[in-house]
Amino acid sequence: QKEVEQDPGPLSVPEGAIVSLNCTYSNSAFQYFMWYRQYSRKGPELLMYTYSSGNKEDGRFTAQVDKSSKYISLFIRDSQPSDSATYLCAMRYSGNTGKLIFGQGTTLQVKP
Amino acid sequence: DAGVIQSPRHEVTEMGQEVTLRCKPISGHDYLFWYRQTMMRGLELLIYFNNNVPIDDSGMPEDRFSAKMPNASFSTLKIQPSEPRDSAVYFCATSRAGSTGELFFGEGSRLTVL
């Protein structure tokens, strides 16, 4: 079993829809949770960062962490065609190694 | 800063040939990571360095793969001999100690082994 599981999709939605992306993980020692966005033929870029449990909002994006269920989510409100990309969840243990474990990534297409 | 710079961006080679991928990290970043991305397996960590010292190479698939970081400004990932199953996009990423641990990725080197 992988440490981090993420449905690869693809996920196709109409413009303006609310998008929900999810990851589950197996190791309760993970403390830092991130979402990266990767456009085609580019490297991933950090989108959202959360420490431990709770919610974090940034514009149209909301990240949620539920450590009791080992489940994290990314919500995109009023989705736009420019949101079309692959979204990767990532997490790491406490300490400062910087070593991130990534999910497989979910490919999202937002149709105009 | 120019960000993480990788070369070559694309490499097509034949099975059995040696492949060398290069990475110039962001100045001042203490950690350097090599990841491999495929459709089937996603983004896999191969090896990472801290202050030029290899810390964890448990993700290196086999002895055909080797990585070096001779100084703070340069790292290489070498595959010798290459095989078709090595075809993937290889990313170099760096981060700074004491930060949130955010990784800054290069644009990747797309390797095709025929």
Side-chain angles (χ1 to χ4, degrees):
Chain A
Q1 182 189 6
K2 291 184 178 180
E3 282 190 284
V4 180
E5 297 277 359
Q6 184 177 7
D7 185 343
L11 183 62
S12 182
V13 301
E15 183 175 354
I18 296 174
V19 176
S20 173
L21 305 169
N22 311 293
C23 287
T24 58
Y25 61 96
S26 57
N27 194 328
S28 59
F30 285 129
Q31 293 287 340
Y32 298 85
F33 303 90
M34 305 180 191
W35 287 94
Y36 280 75
R37 180 173 59 194
Q38 184 179 20
Y39 290 113
S40 180
R41 297 188 179 273
K42 297 289 187 181
E45 293 180 308
L46 181 65
L47 183 63
M48 297 282 286
Y49 166 86
T50 309
Y51 171 70
S52 195
S53 284
N55 294 357
K56 186 172 185 179
E57 188 173 321
D58 184 2
R60 297 184 294 110
F61 298 88
T62 299
Q64 288 185 352
V65 176
D66 181 349
K67 292 191 71 181
S68 62
S69 302
K70 298 190 182 69
Y71 189 87
I72 69 170
S73 301
L74 177 70
F75 298 95
I76 307 174
R77 291 183 299 279
D78 187 24
S79 57
Q80 302 294 310
S82 59
D83 296 328
S84 298
T86 296
Y87 292 81
L88 301 109
C89 62
M91 45 199 81
R92 69 176 178 91
Y93 308 106
S94 63
N96 202 19
T97 67
K99 176 180 175 179
L100 287 183
I101 308 299
F102 283 85
Q104 193 168 354
T106 300
T107 299
L108 171 67
Q109 183 181 27
V110 181
K111 295 183 176 180
Chain B
D1 202 317
V4 176
I5 299 173
Q6 291 187 245
S7 64
R9 291 293 313 277
H10 302 274
E11 175 92 4
V12 180
T13 190
E14 293 189 347
M15 183 173 64
Q17 297 297 306
E18 178 179 294
V19 173
T20 299
L21 308 178
R22 298 173 178 80
C23 176
K24 183 181 186 323
I26 295 173
S27 177
H29 280 200
D30 312 271
Y31 289 91
L32 184 141
F33 304 79
W34 283 100
Y35 281 88
R36 177 172 67 176
Q37 187 175 41
T38 61
M39 290 291 290
M40 290 297 294
R41 300 173 69 90
L43 203 57
E44 300 174 285
L45 177 64
L46 300 177
I47 185 171
Y48 78 96
F49 298 82
N50 178 217
N51 292 323
N52 313 336
V53 176
I55 302 301
D56 183 351
D57 66 354
S58 59
M60 296 286 260
E62 47 199 276
D63 292 344
R64 296 185 298 106
F65 286 70
S66 62
K68 294 181 180 178
M69 192 165 184
N71 57 61
S73 302
F74 186 64
S75 178
T76 60
L77 178 67
K78 186 175 291 188
I79 309 172
Q80 166 63 16
S82 58
E83 297 183 2
R85 60 193 168 122
D86 302 330
S87 297
V89 182
Y90 291 82
F91 286 102
C92 176
T94 67
S95 68
R96 184 170 48 85
S99 68
T100 59
E102 175 184 359
L103 295 188
F104 293 82
F105 283 81
E107 298 218 313
S109 294
R110 183 174 296 271
L111 173 65
T112 302
V113 183
L114 303 175

